[in-house]
Amino acid sequence: MLIFILFLFVFSCIFILNKNMSSNSNTKLENLENKMDNDILNPIFTLSNKKEIIKVTAKEGNFISKNLILLKKNVLFNSDKFSISSSEVLFDNKNQTAKSTTKTEFFSKNTKITSQGFIITDNGNKLEFKGKTKLLLDK
């Protein structure tokens, strides 16, 4: 009887360990598949003009063409003067432009702007907000 109980205990432990290892490998496989859907992981680009350099980062990116990249997940444009965040941005590396049609947040000293998208042109010198836009100024 003691041998039977010991056998059940060992079998149960093996079953539980196998199930945990299987679920971990499924999670790793899903993460690998998600990474394979993207051309670039953690891309970094810059927009440069005479006044400043704007660093562009994201979690993921896909090439649409040679110079056109769709940046996705935590897209951030950051300079010494401001930052812009959005979830999806179409970035043209050759023409140094960017545009988004998803929720956008702009932060600068004492200023916050939320909009339904934006367009950056002229190497980052011009920034236009699209759709419903809200401006908050702090004193």
Side-chain angles (χ1 to χ4, degrees):
M1 179 76 154
L2 183 61
I3 294 174
F4 180 71
I5 292 173
L6 184 60
F7 176 75
L8 284 176
F9 176 75
V10 170
F11 183 74
S12 298
C13 288
I14 292 172
F15 179 76
I16 291 170
L17 286 173
N18 189 26
K19 186 174 183 177
N20 284 342
M21 290 176 77
S22 173
S23 107
N24 284 342
S25 67
N26 284 343
T27 303
K28 289 178 184 176
L29 182 61
E30 288 172 2
N31 288 339
L32 182 60
E33 288 173 351
N34 286 340
K35 289 179 183 178
M36 291 174 63
D37 290 341
N38 302 302
D39 296 327
I40 314 169
L41 293 177
N42 301 314
I44 299 173
F45 298 98
T46 57
L47 289 168
S48 300
N49 60 43
K50 293 177 185 176
K51 298 177 186 176
E52 62 189 331
I53 295 174
I54 303 167
K55 183 178 177 181
V56 182
T57 59
K59 294 289 182 188
E60 302 172 357
N62 286 314
F63 285 100
I64 306 300
S65 66
K66 182 179 177 184
N67 295 306
L68 201 59
I69 303 118
L70 179 61
L71 301 173
K72 300 182 287 186
K73 295 186 180 176
N74 301 328
V75 183
L76 183 64
F77 290 73
N78 208 9
S79 78
D80 292 336
K81 298 177 184 176
F82 69 89
S83 69
I84 301 171
S85 65
S86 189
S87 61
E88 200 171 89
V89 175
L90 195 57
F91 180 72
D92 186 331
N93 196 29
K94 181 180 179 184
N95 296 315
Q96 296 282 286
T97 62
K99 70 177 180 177
S100 176
T101 57
T102 61
K103 181 181 176 186
T104 299
E105 292 183 325
F106 170 92
F107 297 97
S108 186
K109 186 178 180 182
N110 300 327
T111 305
K112 178 182 177 182
I113 300 171
T114 55
S115 70
Q116 294 175 331
F118 69 91
I119 295 176
I120 293 177
T121 56
D122 192 25
N123 296 331
N125 285 318
K126 294 181 183 177
L127 172 60
E128 181 180 338
F129 295 98
K130 295 294 187 178
K132 185 176 179 181
T133 303
K134 183 177 180 180
L135 170 66
L136 295 171
L137 299 173
D138 288 339
K139 292 181 181 180

mmCIF file of all heavy atoms in Angstrom, residues 47 54 77 82 84-86 88-92 95-106 113 115-131 133:
data_model
loop_
_atom_site.group_PDB
_atom_site.id
_atom_site.type_symbol
_atom_site.label_atom_id
_atom_site.label_comp_id
_atom_site.label_asym_id
_atom_site.label_seq_id
_atom_site.Cartn_x
_atom_site.Cartn_y
_atom_site.Cartn_z
ATOM 1 N N LEU A 47 15.259 62.253 -36.232
ATOM 2 C CA LEU A 47 14.894 63.355 -37.113
ATOM 3 C C LEU A 47 15.845 64.488 -36.744
ATOM 4 O O LEU A 47 15.924 64.869 -35.582
ATOM 5 C CB LEU A 47 13.451 63.806 -36.868
ATOM 6 C CG LEU A 47 12.327 62.889 -37.304
ATOM 7 C CD1 LEU A 47 10.992 63.365 -36.728
ATOM 8 C CD2 LEU A 47 12.238 62.864 -38.807
ATOM 9 N N ILE A 54 15.634 64.826 -32.790
ATOM 10 C CA ILE A 54 14.478 64.138 -32.209
ATOM 11 C C ILE A 54 14.733 62.641 -32.333
ATOM 12 O O ILE A 54 14.880 62.119 -33.435
ATOM 13 C CB ILE A 54 13.174 64.524 -32.930
ATOM 14 C CG1 ILE A 54 12.971 66.040 -32.895
ATOM 15 C CG2 ILE A 54 11.990 63.784 -32.300
ATOM 16 C CD1 ILE A 54 11.899 66.540 -33.843
ATOM 17 N N PHE A 77 8.637 59.981 -29.700
ATOM 18 C CA PHE A 77 9.492 60.999 -30.307
ATOM 19 C C PHE A 77 9.969 61.860 -29.147
ATOM 20 O O PHE A 77 9.155 62.449 -28.433
ATOM 21 C CB PHE A 77 8.703 61.864 -31.299
ATOM 22 C CG PHE A 77 8.314 61.140 -32.550
ATOM 23 C CD1 PHE A 77 7.319 60.176 -32.539
ATOM 24 C CD2 PHE A 77 8.938 61.428 -33.757
ATOM 25 C CE1 PHE A 77 6.955 59.506 -33.699
ATOM 26 C CE2 PHE A 77 8.577 60.766 -34.914
ATOM 27 C CZ PHE A 77 7.588 59.797 -34.890
ATOM 28 N N PHE A 82 10.569 68.508 -26.074
ATOM 29 C CA PHE A 82 9.241 67.890 -26.039
ATOM 30 C C PHE A 82 9.320 66.386 -26.233
ATOM 31 O O PHE A 82 10.371 65.842 -26.596
ATOM 32 C CB PHE A 82 8.328 68.503 -27.116
ATOM 33 C CG PHE A 82 8.739 68.139 -28.521
ATOM 34 C CD1 PHE A 82 8.247 66.984 -29.126
ATOM 35 C CD2 PHE A 82 9.606 68.935 -29.246
ATOM 36 C CE1 PHE A 82 8.620 66.642 -30.408
ATOM 37 C CE2 PHE A 82 9.982 68.600 -30.541
ATOM 38 C CZ PHE A 82 9.492 67.444 -31.121
ATOM 39 N N ILE A 84 6.528 63.146 -27.823
ATOM 40 C CA ILE A 84 5.246 62.757 -28.409
ATOM 41 C C ILE A 84 5.162 61.241 -28.310
ATOM 42 O O ILE A 84 6.109 60.542 -28.672
ATOM 43 C CB ILE A 84 5.139 63.161 -29.893
ATOM 44 C CG1 ILE A 84 5.295 64.664 -30.067
ATOM 45 C CG2 ILE A 84 3.806 62.693 -30.479
ATOM 46 C CD1 ILE A 84 5.413 65.088 -31.520
ATOM 47 N N SER A 85 4.025 60.741 -27.833
ATOM 48 C CA SER A 85 3.847 59.291 -27.783
ATOM 49 C C SER A 85 2.582 58.900 -28.536
ATOM 50 O O SER A 85 1.594 59.636 -28.560
ATOM 51 C CB SER A 85 3.776 58.804 -26.337
ATOM 52 O OG SER A 85 2.632 59.313 -25.693
ATOM 53 N N SER A 86 2.636 57.733 -29.161
ATOM 54 C CA SER A 86 1.516 57.191 -29.912
ATOM 55 C C SER A 86 1.706 55.683 -30.002
ATOM 56 O O SER A 86 2.796 55.170 -29.740
ATOM 57 C CB SER A 86 1.460 57.822 -31.305
ATOM 58 O OG SER A 86 0.270 57.471 -31.970
ATOM 59 N N GLU A 88 0.995 53.860 -32.871
ATOM 60 C CA GLU A 88 1.333 53.446 -34.225
ATOM 61 C C GLU A 88 1.656 54.676 -35.070
ATOM 62 O O GLU A 88 0.862 55.611 -35.125
ATOM 63 C CB GLU A 88 0.158 52.674 -34.835
ATOM 64 C CG GLU A 88 0.529 51.803 -35.994
ATOM 65 C CD GLU A 88 -0.621 50.897 -36.414
ATOM 66 O OE1 GLU A 88 -1.420 51.347 -37.253
ATOM 67 O OE2 GLU A 88 -0.714 49.783 -35.900
ATOM 68 N N VAL A 89 2.821 54.656 -35.729
ATOM 69 C CA VAL A 89 3.277 55.806 -36.510
ATOM 70 C C VAL A 89 3.903 55.314 -37.805
ATOM 71 O O VAL A 89 4.685 54.365 -37.812
ATOM 72 C CB VAL A 89 4.317 56.638 -35.731
ATOM 73 C CG1 VAL A 89 4.876 57.762 -36.594
ATOM 74 C CG2 VAL A 89 3.723 57.198 -34.451
ATOM 75 N N LEU A 90 3.572 55.986 -38.896
ATOM 76 C CA LEU A 90 4.195 55.723 -40.184
ATOM 77 C C LEU A 90 5.368 56.696 -40.326
ATOM 78 O O LEU A 90 5.179 57.912 -40.364
ATOM 79 C CB LEU A 90 3.187 55.926 -41.305
ATOM 80 C CG LEU A 90 3.545 55.363 -42.664
ATOM 81 C CD1 LEU A 90 3.821 53.863 -42.587
ATOM 82 C CD2 LEU A 90 2.416 55.614 -43.641
ATOM 83 N N PHE A 91 6.584 56.158 -40.380
ATOM 84 C CA PHE A 91 7.798 56.963 -40.373
ATOM 85 C C PHE A 91 8.505 56.833 -41.722
ATOM 86 O O PHE A 91 8.753 55.728 -42.196
ATOM 87 C CB PHE A 91 8.718 56.488 -39.248
ATOM 88 C CG PHE A 91 10.008 57.254 -39.141
ATOM 89 C CD1 PHE A 91 10.025 58.555 -38.675
ATOM 90 C CD2 PHE A 91 11.204 56.662 -39.494
ATOM 91 C CE1 PHE A 91 11.212 59.259 -38.570
ATOM 92 C CE2 PHE A 91 12.408 57.358 -39.396
ATOM 93 C CZ PHE A 91 12.403 58.658 -38.927
ATOM 94 N N ASP A 92 8.799 57.975 -42.330
ATOM 95 C CA ASP A 92 9.525 58.004 -43.599
ATOM 96 C C ASP A 92 10.956 58.446 -43.304
ATOM 97 O O ASP A 92 11.222 59.625 -43.054
ATOM 98 C CB ASP A 92 8.853 58.978 -44.571
ATOM 99 C CG ASP A 92 9.466 58.951 -45.961
ATOM 100 O OD1 ASP A 92 10.681 58.657 -46.083
ATOM 101 O OD2 ASP A 92 8.746 59.237 -46.927
ATOM 102 N N ASN A 95 12.542 61.007 -46.159
ATOM 103 C CA ASN A 95 12.017 62.376 -46.160
ATOM 104 C C ASN A 95 11.926 62.988 -44.777
ATOM 105 O O ASN A 95 11.518 64.137 -44.636
ATOM 106 C CB ASN A 95 10.640 62.407 -46.835
ATOM 107 C CG ASN A 95 10.732 62.029 -48.295
ATOM 108 O OD1 ASN A 95 11.607 62.482 -49.014
ATOM 109 N ND2 ASN A 95 9.830 61.159 -48.739
ATOM 110 N N GLN A 96 12.298 62.212 -43.748
ATOM 111 C CA GLN A 96 12.278 62.685 -42.370
ATOM 112 C C GLN A 96 10.905 63.228 -41.964
ATOM 113 O O GLN A 96 10.768 64.344 -41.455
ATOM 114 C CB GLN A 96 13.361 63.751 -42.156
ATOM 115 C CG GLN A 96 14.774 63.224 -42.348
ATOM 116 C CD GLN A 96 15.251 62.440 -41.149
ATOM 117 O OE1 GLN A 96 15.565 63.018 -40.124
ATOM 118 N NE2 GLN A 96 15.294 61.114 -41.272
ATOM 119 N N THR A 97 9.862 62.421 -42.237
ATOM 120 C CA THR A 97 8.502 62.783 -41.858
ATOM 121 C C THR A 97 7.880 61.632 -41.073
ATOM 122 O O THR A 97 8.378 60.508 -41.092
ATOM 123 C CB THR A 97 7.619 63.069 -43.091
ATOM 124 O OG1 THR A 97 7.537 61.883 -43.891
ATOM 125 C CG2 THR A 97 8.183 64.213 -43.920
ATOM 126 N N ALA A 98 6.783 61.947 -40.401
ATOM 127 C CA ALA A 98 6.059 60.920 -39.650
ATOM 128 C C ALA A 98 4.605 61.331 -39.541
ATOM 129 O O ALA A 98 4.277 62.522 -39.536
ATOM 130 C CB ALA A 98 6.657 60.760 -38.256
ATOM 131 N N LYS A 99 3.715 60.312 -39.482
ATOM 132 C CA LYS A 99 2.310 60.636 -39.254
ATOM 133 C C LYS A 99 1.631 59.484 -38.534
ATOM 134 O O LYS A 99 2.036 58.328 -38.628
ATOM 135 C CB LYS A 99 1.586 60.978 -40.538
ATOM 136 C CG LYS A 99 1.347 59.846 -41.493
ATOM 137 C CD LYS A 99 0.553 60.370 -42.693
ATOM 138 C CE LYS A 99 0.285 59.258 -43.682
ATOM 139 N NZ LYS A 99 -0.525 59.725 -44.809
ATOM 140 N N SER A 100 0.598 59.846 -37.783
ATOM 141 C CA SER A 100 -0.153 58.870 -37.018
ATOM 142 C C SER A 100 -1.630 59.237 -37.057
ATOM 143 O O SER A 100 -1.988 60.414 -37.125
ATOM 144 C CB SER A 100 0.329 58.857 -35.563
ATOM 145 O OG SER A 100 -0.457 57.979 -34.798
ATOM 146 N N THR A 101 -2.463 58.225 -37.000
ATOM 147 C CA THR A 101 -3.917 58.447 -36.906
ATOM 148 C C THR A 101 -4.456 57.828 -35.620
ATOM 149 O O THR A 101 -5.652 57.653 -35.478
ATOM 150 C CB THR A 101 -4.645 57.844 -38.125
ATOM 151 O OG1 THR A 101 -4.342 56.459 -38.211
ATOM 152 C CG2 THR A 101 -4.244 58.554 -39.403
ATOM 153 N N THR A 102 -3.547 57.494 -34.694
ATOM 154 C CA THR A 102 -3.962 56.932 -33.405
ATOM 155 C C THR A 102 -3.754 57.966 -32.305
ATOM 156 O O THR A 102 -3.075 58.981 -32.508
ATOM 157 C CB THR A 102 -3.169 55.651 -33.072
ATOM 158 O OG1 THR A 102 -1.775 55.975 -32.983
ATOM 159 C CG2 THR A 102 -3.381 54.572 -34.125
ATOM 160 N N LYS A 103 -4.325 57.702 -31.142
ATOM 161 C CA LYS A 103 -4.237 58.635 -30.019
ATOM 162 C C LYS A 103 -2.793 59.060 -29.800
ATOM 163 O O LYS A 103 -1.885 58.248 -29.734
ATOM 164 C CB LYS A 103 -4.772 57.994 -28.743
ATOM 165 C CG LYS A 103 -4.729 58.926 -27.562
ATOM 166 C CD LYS A 103 -5.228 58.288 -26.292
ATOM 167 C CE LYS A 103 -5.051 59.264 -25.145
ATOM 168 N NZ LYS A 103 -5.375 58.649 -23.869
ATOM 169 N N THR A 104 -2.615 60.369 -29.690
ATOM 170 C CA THR A 104 -1.294 60.966 -29.556
ATOM 171 C C THR A 104 -1.269 61.872 -28.333
ATOM 172 O O THR A 104 -2.240 62.577 -28.060
ATOM 173 C CB THR A 104 -0.967 61.800 -30.816
ATOM 174 O OG1 THR A 104 -0.964 60.931 -31.949
ATOM 175 C CG2 THR A 104 0.361 62.494 -30.704
ATOM 176 N N GLU A 105 -0.152 61.834 -27.617
ATOM 177 C CA GLU A 105 0.041 62.739 -26.489
ATOM 178 C C GLU A 105 1.359 63.482 -26.676
ATOM 179 O O GLU A 105 2.393 62.872 -26.913
ATOM 180 C CB GLU A 105 0.062 61.978 -25.168
ATOM 181 C CG GLU A 105 -1.279 61.382 -24.804
ATOM 182 C CD GLU A 105 -1.276 60.701 -23.458
ATOM 183 O OE1 GLU A 105 -0.246 60.093 -23.091
ATOM 184 O OE2 GLU A 105 -2.294 60.780 -22.776
ATOM 185 N N PHE A 106 1.284 64.795 -26.578
ATOM 186 C CA PHE A 106 2.431 65.682 -26.701
ATOM 187 C C PHE A 106 2.688 66.295 -25.327
ATOM 188 O O PHE A 106 1.758 66.756 -24.665
ATOM 189 C CB PHE A 106 2.125 66.787 -27.716
ATOM 190 C CG PHE A 106 3.143 67.893 -27.760
ATOM 191 C CD1 PHE A 106 4.208 67.832 -28.653
ATOM 192 C CD2 PHE A 106 3.037 68.999 -26.930
ATOM 193 C CE1 PHE A 106 5.144 68.865 -28.710
ATOM 194 C CE2 PHE A 106 3.968 70.022 -26.975
ATOM 195 C CZ PHE A 106 5.027 69.957 -27.868
ATOM 196 N N ILE A 113 -0.784 68.159 -24.906
ATOM 197 C CA ILE A 113 -1.747 68.156 -26.001
ATOM 198 C C ILE A 113 -2.098 66.701 -26.297
ATOM 199 O O ILE A 113 -1.201 65.868 -26.469
ATOM 200 C CB ILE A 113 -1.177 68.819 -27.275
ATOM 201 C CG1 ILE A 113 -0.794 70.270 -26.990
ATOM 202 C CG2 ILE A 113 -2.166 68.720 -28.433
ATOM 203 C CD1 ILE A 113 -0.026 70.942 -28.117
ATOM 204 N N SER A 115 -4.430 64.332 -28.994
ATOM 205 C CA SER A 115 -5.123 64.425 -30.279
ATOM 206 C C SER A 115 -5.354 63.033 -30.841
ATOM 207 O O SER A 115 -4.928 62.034 -30.260
ATOM 208 C CB SER A 115 -4.314 65.267 -31.274
ATOM 209 O OG SER A 115 -3.148 64.582 -31.661
ATOM 210 N N GLN A 116 -6.009 62.986 -31.988
ATOM 211 C CA GLN A 116 -6.288 61.720 -32.659
ATOM 212 C C GLN A 116 -5.238 61.409 -33.723
ATOM 213 O O GLN A 116 -5.458 60.563 -34.577
ATOM 214 C CB GLN A 116 -7.681 61.744 -33.271
ATOM 215 C CG GLN A 116 -8.777 61.807 -32.218
ATOM 216 C CD GLN A 116 -10.152 61.948 -32.841
ATOM 217 O OE1 GLN A 116 -10.301 62.514 -33.922
ATOM 218 N NE2 GLN A 116 -11.153 61.444 -32.151
ATOM 219 N N GLY A 117 -4.107 62.080 -33.670
ATOM 220 C CA GLY A 117 -3.030 61.835 -34.613
ATOM 221 C C GLY A 117 -2.200 63.082 -34.817
ATOM 222 O O GLY A 117 -2.464 64.133 -34.233
ATOM 223 N N PHE A 118 -1.164 62.937 -35.643
ATOM 224 C CA PHE A 118 -0.277 64.068 -35.924
ATOM 225 C C PHE A 118 0.467 63.831 -37.231
ATOM 226 O O PHE A 118 0.496 62.722 -37.763
ATOM 227 C CB PHE A 118 0.734 64.265 -34.791
ATOM 228 C CG PHE A 118 1.757 63.171 -34.685
ATOM 229 C CD1 PHE A 118 2.966 63.256 -35.349
ATOM 230 C CD2 PHE A 118 1.510 62.046 -33.919
ATOM 231 C CE1 PHE A 118 3.913 62.246 -35.257
ATOM 232 C CE2 PHE A 118 2.446 61.025 -33.812
ATOM 233 C CZ PHE A 118 3.649 61.118 -34.490
ATOM 234 N N ILE A 119 1.060 64.914 -37.716
ATOM 235 C CA ILE A 119 1.950 64.845 -38.873
ATOM 236 C C ILE A 119 3.178 65.686 -38.544
ATOM 237 O O ILE A 119 3.054 66.840 -38.126
ATOM 238 C CB ILE A 119 1.274 65.396 -40.158
ATOM 239 C CG1 ILE A 119 0.091 64.531 -40.557
ATOM 240 C CG2 ILE A 119 2.282 65.464 -41.294
ATOM 241 C CD1 ILE A 119 -0.677 65.061 -41.762
ATOM 242 N N ILE A 120 4.354 65.106 -38.740
ATOM 243 C CA ILE A 120 5.612 65.834 -38.584
ATOM 244 C C ILE A 120 6.234 65.955 -39.975
ATOM 245 O O ILE A 120 6.377 64.960 -40.687
ATOM 246 C CB ILE A 120 6.586 65.095 -37.647
ATOM 247 C CG1 ILE A 120 6.044 65.071 -36.219
ATOM 248 C CG2 ILE A 120 7.962 65.752 -37.682
ATOM 249 C CD1 ILE A 120 6.911 64.306 -35.251
ATOM 250 N N THR A 121 6.568 67.188 -40.356
ATOM 251 C CA THR A 121 7.213 67.433 -41.654
ATOM 252 C C THR A 121 8.421 68.347 -41.454
ATOM 253 O O THR A 121 8.687 68.807 -40.336
ATOM 254 C CB THR A 121 6.230 68.079 -42.650
ATOM 255 O OG1 THR A 121 5.707 69.287 -42.070
ATOM 256 C CG2 THR A 121 5.085 67.143 -42.987
ATOM 257 N N ASP A 122 9.092 68.641 -42.537
ATOM 258 C CA ASP A 122 10.223 69.572 -42.541
ATOM 259 C C ASP A 122 11.276 69.181 -41.498
ATOM 260 O O ASP A 122 11.686 70.004 -40.691
ATOM 261 C CB ASP A 122 9.716 71.005 -42.325
ATOM 262 C CG ASP A 122 10.767 72.053 -42.608
ATOM 263 O OD1 ASP A 122 11.690 71.774 -43.396
ATOM 264 O OD2 ASP A 122 10.687 73.146 -41.998
ATOM 265 N N ASN A 123 11.687 67.896 -41.515
ATOM 266 C CA ASN A 123 12.714 67.374 -40.602
ATOM 267 C C ASN A 123 12.402 67.628 -39.128
ATOM 268 O O ASN A 123 13.297 67.829 -38.316
ATOM 269 C CB ASN A 123 14.087 67.944 -40.926
ATOM 270 C CG ASN A 123 14.577 67.524 -42.281
ATOM 271 O OD1 ASN A 123 14.227 66.456 -42.775
ATOM 272 N ND2 ASN A 123 15.378 68.349 -42.908
ATOM 273 N N GLY A 124 11.137 67.634 -38.792
ATOM 274 C CA GLY A 124 10.734 67.841 -37.407
ATOM 275 C C GLY A 124 10.473 69.282 -37.041
ATOM 276 O O GLY A 124 10.134 69.588 -35.899
ATOM 277 N N ASN A 125 10.599 70.196 -37.995
ATOM 278 C CA ASN A 125 10.342 71.611 -37.711
ATOM 279 C C ASN A 125 8.860 71.927 -37.617
ATOM 280 O O ASN A 125 8.464 72.872 -36.945
ATOM 281 C CB ASN A 125 10.980 72.500 -38.775
ATOM 282 C CG ASN A 125 12.478 72.585 -38.614
ATOM 283 O OD1 ASN A 125 12.993 72.698 -37.507
ATOM 284 N ND2 ASN A 125 13.191 72.493 -39.722
ATOM 285 N N LYS A 126 8.023 71.159 -38.334
ATOM 286 C CA LYS A 126 6.581 71.420 -38.340
ATOM 287 C C LYS A 126 5.844 70.229 -37.743
ATOM 288 O O LYS A 126 6.077 69.080 -38.135
ATOM 289 C CB LYS A 126 6.079 71.669 -39.755
ATOM 290 C CG LYS A 126 6.615 72.928 -40.374
ATOM 291 C CD LYS A 126 6.063 73.144 -41.761
ATOM 292 C CE LYS A 126 6.667 74.387 -42.399
ATOM 293 N NZ LYS A 126 6.187 74.563 -43.769
ATOM 294 N N LEU A 127 4.952 70.526 -36.813
ATOM 295 C CA LEU A 127 4.145 69.509 -36.149
ATOM 296 C C LEU A 127 2.692 69.944 -36.197
ATOM 297 O O LEU A 127 2.348 71.033 -35.745
ATOM 298 C CB LEU A 127 4.599 69.331 -34.705
ATOM 299 C CG LEU A 127 3.776 68.447 -33.801
ATOM 300 C CD1 LEU A 127 3.701 67.017 -34.332
ATOM 301 C CD2 LEU A 127 4.355 68.444 -32.398
ATOM 302 N N GLU A 128 1.848 69.115 -36.783
ATOM 303 C CA GLU A 128 0.427 69.421 -36.917
ATOM 304 C C GLU A 128 -0.369 68.298 -36.245
ATOM 305 O O GLU A 128 -0.136 67.124 -36.510
ATOM 306 C CB GLU A 128 0.067 69.496 -38.398
ATOM 307 C CG GLU A 128 -1.366 69.837 -38.680
ATOM 308 C CD GLU A 128 -1.644 69.890 -40.185
ATOM 309 O OE1 GLU A 128 -0.702 70.076 -40.980
ATOM 310 O OE2 GLU A 128 -2.817 69.734 -40.534
ATOM 311 N N PHE A 129 -1.319 68.675 -35.382
ATOM 312 C CA PHE A 129 -2.158 67.691 -34.712
ATOM 313 C C PHE A 129 -3.428 67.479 -35.515
ATOM 314 O O PHE A 129 -3.971 68.416 -36.095
ATOM 315 C CB PHE A 129 -2.487 68.148 -33.287
ATOM 316 C CG PHE A 129 -1.261 68.217 -32.428
ATOM 317 C CD1 PHE A 129 -0.611 69.417 -32.209
ATOM 318 C CD2 PHE A 129 -0.739 67.066 -31.867
ATOM 319 C CE1 PHE A 129 0.535 69.480 -31.439
ATOM 320 C CE2 PHE A 129 0.407 67.118 -31.090
ATOM 321 C CZ PHE A 129 1.043 68.332 -30.879
ATOM 322 N N LYS A 130 -3.908 66.249 -35.551
ATOM 323 C CA LYS A 130 -5.069 65.879 -36.356
ATOM 324 C C LYS A 130 -6.241 65.460 -35.464
ATOM 325 O O LYS A 130 -6.046 64.963 -34.363
ATOM 326 C CB LYS A 130 -4.721 64.718 -37.296
ATOM 327 C CG LYS A 130 -3.678 65.077 -38.339
ATOM 328 C CD LYS A 130 -4.240 66.096 -39.284
ATOM 329 C CE LYS A 130 -3.351 66.383 -40.452
ATOM 330 N NZ LYS A 130 -3.931 67.326 -41.359
ATOM 331 N N GLY A 131 -7.438 65.628 -35.994
ATOM 332 C CA GLY A 131 -8.646 65.190 -35.296
ATOM 333 C C GLY A 131 -8.941 66.026 -34.068
ATOM 334 O O GLY A 131 -8.423 67.137 -33.898
ATOM 335 N N THR A 133 -8.608 67.615 -30.789
ATOM 336 C CA THR A 133 -7.385 67.963 -30.067
ATOM 337 C C THR A 133 -7.722 68.733 -28.811
ATOM 338 O O THR A 133 -8.586 69.604 -28.799
ATOM 339 C CB THR A 133 -6.455 68.817 -30.977
ATOM 340 O OG1 THR A 133 -6.189 68.078 -32.164
ATOM 341 C CG2 THR A 133 -5.161 69.152 -30.288
#
